Amino acid sequence: MGLRLILTVEIKVRDFPRLLNEAARALRRGGLFISCEWSEYPVMQGNCRLSERAPCTHRFFHDINRGLMLQGIESIADRMPNMLGRSGAFVDIVSRDLSVPVGSWDHGQQRVGEGLKNNLIVFATSMKLWLVEKGYFTRAEAQALVDGLRHEVDTVGGMVLKYRITFARKA
């Protein structure tokens, strides 16, 4: 059996070109690099807008993403294929998006959707203090926002969160 190296990166990583150089150094020729990241916002299937159908969920993600961006932390999922290509160390670069339902409205993926819904509620609850400490909301406003998100992910069907997977082989 071959040796497998799994490199896990926390959200604290901000120098992605350096990370890719380190991954290229650690991988053997033909080794597989995989990047996985959730999109910044849930979206609605069809022509509905999240801001209209689930305003608390939209506002929560808007404010979280804005706050993270102010700290220099932003989504790189859309840029990862270009970053891999520019590094010159990777070939066969492929990206795929998976749409995961939020909640149990999709009968074919009820268990997965319910799990994602529960994880979003835990995430939102854990971010309340951060929203307050950064001065974005009072405690009461943050609680109301999380309560609204919880209600929306329980009752609004058609909400999905996209998961971007990018993989490439070391040249």
Side-chain angles (χ1 to χ4, degrees), residues 13-14 67-74:
V13 172
R14 293 187 178 129
L68 291 172
M69 192 179 302
L70 289 172
Q71 293 186 11
I73 302 169
E74 58 186 302

Side-chain angles (χ1 to χ4, degrees), residues 13 17 31 56 64-65 70 89 105 107 120 127-128 135 141 152 156:
V13 172
C56 291
I64 290 292
N65 290 320
L70 289 172
W105 60 268
H107 297 294
L120 287 179
M127 292 303 289
K128 277 190 306 191
E141 291 168 334
E152 290 168 357
V156 176

Side-chain angles (χ1 to χ4, degrees), residues 48-80:
C48 299
R49 294 175 61 159
L50 183 68
S51 60
E52 294 169 1
R53 293 284 317 278
C56 291
T57 301
H58 180 266
R59 182 163 186 209
F60 172 82
F61 279 95
H62 172 78
D63 289 336
I64 290 292
N65 290 320
R66 181 187 62 170
L68 291 172
M69 192 179 302
L70 289 172
Q71 293 186 11
I73 302 169
E74 58 186 302
S75 174
I76 53 112
D78 292 338
R79 296 191 323 254
M80 183 56 74

Side-chain angles (χ1 to χ4, degrees), residues 35-56:
S35 169
C36 304
E37 186 174 352
W38 290 103
S39 61
E40 295 175 337
Y41 290 88
V43 296
M44 298 301 300
Q45 287 192 325
N47 294 326
C48 299
R49 294 175 61 159
L50 183 68
S51 60
E52 294 169 1
R53 293 284 317 278
C56 291

Side-chain angles (χ1 to χ4, degrees), residues 103-165:
S104 56
W105 60 268
D106 182 328
H107 297 294
Q109 297 185 54
Q110 282 182 316
R111 190 167 154 210
V112 170
E114 195 64 22
L116 178 55
K117 177 192 85 167
N118 291 334
N119 287 337
L120 287 179
I121 291 170
V122 168
F123 174 67
T125 302
S126 71
M127 292 303 289
K128 277 190 306 191
L129 182 58
W130 184 82
L131 288 166
V132 172
E133 286 178 350
K134 292 295 178 186
Y136 298 129
F137 296 98
T138 65
R139 286 190 189 277
E141 291 168 334
Q143 184 63 54
L145 185 64
V146 171
D147 288 345
L149 177 142
R150 179 183 302 231
H151 174 73
E152 290 168 357
V153 297
D154 272 338
T155 61
V156 176
M159 194 182 312
V160 298
L161 196 55
K162 297 212 184 252
Y163 192 61
R164 165 71 53 94
I165 302 169

